[in-house]
Amino acid sequence: MMKDTLLVIGIHRDELGFGDRVAAHIDPSRFDLMRIPQGIPQAKTSPRERFYSSAQHREIYLQLHQQVHNRYRLLIDLHRGLDEAGRSADVFSHDERFLKCLAHKTKDRGFKENVRLVHIASTDERVEPSGSVSVADAEAKTWIPHRVWLGTSPLYVGLEIYLAANSDGEEEDWEFARMLISEIQTCEPR
């Protein structure tokens, strides 16, 4: 039986070790896992490197979309970032209903102060959140193609877990990521 949620790790090659440790204890009866062993480098924003970095991101996400379109309800794209202040997370989605659900769940679990909800917009246009009141804490632009993050099947959810050191993390970091992944899976997109 196919699961309704896909967890993707390794889009950025230097984050694969963190993703492997998080995925090692994800319940395989609830999630399918896509491990990308040869991911792309981190995004480069200098004028000379921006074009190539943008093209790499576009291509890997279009390939991913081609493989998973209409096969899952949710696609959770796990990443690892650095925040010397300590463990936290950003959750990215264009779906306001999904973000509202997750806002309630993180508040109920007592870790809302460590989780920032981010409404996705493209790099070339501003996209207004649906609904009258946004629950997002921020808005972000992305190089990920519209058909990936603006689609509904699967709903794209980016999850960036910030660690205090540039490493693969510790058990508490992996458990924090697993807890968020579990809460993300229980929220229904529109």
Side-chain angles (χ1 to χ4, degrees), residues 133-146:
V133 179
S134 175
V135 297
D137 301 311
E139 180 176 87
K141 300 191 183 295
T142 182
W143 286 344
I144 298 171
H146 285 87

Side-chain angles (χ1 to χ4, degrees), residues 51-81:
F51 173 79
Y52 297 105
S53 193
S54 173
Q56 288 175 324
H57 279 79
R58 184 175 53 255
E59 290 307 311
I60 198 165
Y61 279 103
L62 287 174
Q63 289 174 24
L64 174 63
H65 180 70
Q66 184 177 17
Q67 291 179 33
V68 304
H69 182 62
N70 288 330
R71 292 186 56 206
Y72 296 94
R73 178 181 63 92
L74 288 174
L75 183 159
I76 302 171
D77 181 18
L78 180 63
H79 294 273
R80 180 212 56 191

Side-chain angles (χ1 to χ4, degrees), residues 5-175:
T5 304
L6 176 67
L7 176 64
V8 177
I9 62 173
I11 287 278
H12 293 128
R13 68 177 69 118
D14 63 334
E15 298 172 0
L16 185 58
F18 173 73
D20 281 338
R21 285 165 180 82
V22 171
H25 296 286
I26 291 286
D27 182 354
S29 69
R30 293 181 56 209
F31 299 88
D32 276 343
L33 175 67
M34 180 180 283
R35 183 179 188 275
I36 301 173
Q38 300 294 322
I40 60 176
Q42 290 291 337
K44 306 280 193 241
T45 57
S46 73
R48 296 175 71 206
E49 297 173 311
R50 172 175 254 165
F51 173 79
Y52 297 105
S53 193
S54 173
Q56 288 175 324
H57 279 79
R58 184 175 53 255
E59 290 307 311
I60 198 165
Y61 279 103
L62 287 174
Q63 289 174 24
L64 174 63
H65 180 70
Q66 184 177 17
Q67 291 179 33
V68 304
H69 182 62
N70 288 330
R71 292 186 56 206
Y72 296 94
R73 178 181 63 92
L74 288 174
L75 183 159
I76 302 171
D77 181 18
L78 180 63
H79 294 273
R80 180 212 56 191
L82 177 64
D83 183 349
E84 294 174 357
R87 184 182 316 110
S88 63
D90 285 345
V91 180
F92 300 85
S93 178
H94 81 278
D95 189 312
E96 282 286 320
R97 181 176 168 190
F98 168 81
L99 291 172
K100 185 175 184 178
C101 172
L102 195 58
H104 289 296
K105 289 186 177 289
T106 56
K107 182 179 178 189
D108 291 346
R109 292 287 302 257
F111 56 86
K112 174 62 179 129
E113 65 279 353
N114 293 342
V115 178
R116 186 171 70 147
L117 304 177
V118 183
H119 181 258
I120 298 177
S122 70
T123 55
D124 56 351
E125 64 185 273
R126 179 174 171 79
V127 175
E128 293 298 326
S130 60
S132 57
V133 179
S134 175
V135 297
D137 301 311
E139 180 176 87
K141 300 191 183 295
T142 182
W143 286 344
I144 298 171
H146 285 87
R147 73 179 85 159
V148 177
W149 65 262
L150 197 53
T152 57
S153 181
L155 173 67
Y156 174 84
V157 178
L159 176 57
E160 182 94 19
I161 302 294
Y162 296 99
L163 309 178
N166 193 9
S167 69
D168 288 341
E170 305 289 331
E171 185 60 45
E172 297 83 17
D173 303 318
W174 309 325
E175 187 54 38

